[in-house]
């Protein structure tokens, strides 16, 4: 392997005409008109770990009897670059899914980042977040933990283990170690209580299960459950399987996306 030499000033030299290609610049790349349905909530997303957080949340709200949690769900195909269209970027300038519009608000309210969306929905409907200061704070502790820790699983471990063009020992070992540390943290936490933030199921469980639960169940990266020996995290495994059986979770994974065209 050729040793990498750091340049004095980094330059991007990989022109990619694809709408979805990585670039060191933000902003829209083409004009786009997103469809808008009649439901109060308009969700533009994809079935990634971050995307399913919101569909699970909305289906859990429906299971709880929240009647005005109706939503239209549109597919943002990140492989085709839909996230860089002008209408989507107007909702989320960071060009990442998911993005939500609440058109029951006047003017309509645009929300991006999965953690922000779940917190918004929990507070809007008064569900899946404790009202007491201790329970609420513990739930937010874990919500923000996942937002900060998740990139080690996706962009770190997942990228170098499953997607990088060649296997490299250093990054795989580095991110495997951190991933296992995080799995051990969750396992120790769940040894003390049935849900992530305490005795009750909350948005903390939704955001963490969407990444770590699915990783534990072998549903993120092929054979990664064996590679990481996730079966050894017995409390995490029990929680992961229990959450997977919830009707709202199952429905949130099975939702149908409407095409943009």
């Amino acid at each position: 392997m050729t040793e990498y030499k750091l340049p004095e000033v980094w330059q991007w030299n990989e022109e990619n005409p694809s709408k979805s290609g990585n670039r060191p610049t933000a902003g829209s790349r083409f004009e786009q008109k997103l469809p808008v349905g009649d439901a109060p909530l308009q969700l533009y997303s994809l079935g990634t770990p971050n995307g399913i957080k919101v569909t699970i949340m909305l289906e859990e709200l429906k299971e709880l009897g929240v009647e005005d949690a109706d939503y239209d769900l549109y597919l943002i195909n990140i492989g085709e670059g839909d996230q860089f269209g002008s209408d989507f970027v107007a909702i989320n300038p960071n060009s990442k899914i998911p993005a939500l519009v609440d058109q029951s608000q006047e003017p309509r309210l645009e929300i991006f980042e999965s953690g922000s969306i779940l917190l918004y929905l929990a507070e809007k409907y008064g569900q899946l977040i404790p009202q007491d200061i201790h329970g609420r704070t513990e739930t937010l502790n874990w919500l923000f933990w996942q937002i900060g820790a998740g990139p080690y699983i996706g962009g770190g471990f997942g990228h170098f283990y499953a997607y990088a063009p060649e296997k490299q020992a250093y990054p795989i070992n580095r991110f495997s170690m951190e991933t296992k540390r995080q799995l051990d943290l969750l396992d120790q936490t769940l040894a003390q209580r049935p849900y992530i933030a305490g005795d009750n199921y909350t948005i903390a469980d939704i955001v963490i299960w969407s990444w770590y639960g699915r990783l534990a169940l072998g549903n993120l990266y092929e054979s990664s459950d064996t590679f990481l020996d996730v079966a050894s995290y017995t409390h995490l495994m029990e929680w992961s399987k229990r959450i997977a059986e919830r009707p709202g979770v199952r429905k949130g994974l099975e939702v149908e996306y409407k095409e943009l065209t």
Side-chain angles (χ1 to χ4, degrees):
M1 183 181 299
T2 303
E3 183 180 358
Y4 176 66
K5 302 293 186 180
L6 284 174
E8 183 177 356
V9 178
W10 183 83
Q11 297 289 329
W12 183 57
N13 298 311
E14 300 178 10
E15 287 292 338
N16 189 332
S18 169
K19 288 181 180 178
S20 62
N22 289 332
R23 303 177 190 176
T25 55
S28 65
R29 300 180 183 176
F30 61 94
E31 289 300 312
Q32 172 195 64
K33 185 68 174 177
L34 288 178
V36 179
D38 296 326
L41 301 171
Q42 301 294 296
L43 178 58
Y44 303 94
S45 192
L46 183 68
T48 66
N50 286 329
I52 64 174
K53 294 174 187 176
V54 185
T55 54
I56 289 173
M57 177 68 176
L58 289 166
E59 293 300 329
E60 290 280 17
L61 289 171
K62 288 183 178 183
E63 290 293 314
L64 290 168
V66 178
E67 295 181 0
D68 59 342
D70 235 5
Y71 64 102
D72 292 306
L73 176 61
Y74 296 101
L75 177 67
I76 298 297
N77 188 331
I78 61 176
E80 296 295 324
D82 293 341
Q83 71 275 26
F84 297 111
S86 56
D87 268 14
F88 187 84
V89 173
I91 301 170
N92 182 359
N94 195 39
S95 297
K96 304 288 185 182
I97 62 94
L100 181 72
V101 175
D102 185 350
Q103 53 187 9
S104 71
Q105 303 283 4
E106 182 58 43
R108 74 177 205 166
L109 185 61
E110 300 168 347
I111 315 107
F112 66 92
E113 290 296 325
S114 58
S116 179
I117 293 172
L118 261 64
L119 181 57
Y120 171 77
L121 292 171
E123 293 184 331
K124 176 182 174 71
Y125 298 112
Q127 300 283 358
L128 299 173
I129 187 168
Q131 299 304 303
D132 67 286
I133 188 63
H134 293 88
R136 174 184 168 83
T137 299
E138 184 68 353
T139 300
L140 294 183
N141 286 342
W142 286 102
L143 171 67
F144 290 113
W145 174 83
Q146 192 282 313
I147 301 305
Y152 289 100
I153 304 299
F157 171 76
H159 175 77
F160 288 103
Y161 173 83
Y163 303 126
E166 61 183 32
K167 303 301 183 188
Q168 300 178 54
Y170 178 80
I172 290 176
N173 288 335
R174 169 68 181 88
F175 289 113
S176 295
M177 179 178 64
E178 175 59 16
T179 298
K180 288 183 70 66
R181 188 194 69 80
Q182 293 180 18
L183 294 173
D184 189 45
L185 168 63
L186 293 173
D187 192 60
Q188 291 186 38
T189 300
L190 290 164
Q192 305 299 319
R193 50 205 192 192
Y195 296 103
I196 294 293
D199 292 331
N200 299 307
Y201 179 75
T202 68
I203 56 175
D205 295 282
I206 296 176
V207 299
I208 292 173
W209 184 87
S210 297
W211 276 100
Y212 297 84
R214 285 175 61 76
L215 179 68
L217 297 173
N219 294 324
L220 281 190
Y221 312 113
E222 184 177 359
S223 301
S224 62
D225 52 335
T226 300
F227 182 78
L228 295 170
D229 188 25
V230 295
S232 64
Y233 304 106
T234 55
H235 304 289
L236 173 63
M237 290 300 301
E238 187 280 327
W239 169 85
S240 299
K241 293 174 181 177
R242 178 159 39 92
I243 300 302
E245 292 302 313
R246 293 180 63 88
V249 172
R250 294 202 303 269
K251 291 177 181 178
L253 296 177
E254 296 169 355
V255 289
E256 294 186 8
Y257 292 77
K258 301 175 184 177
E259 298 287 342
L260 294 185
T261 54

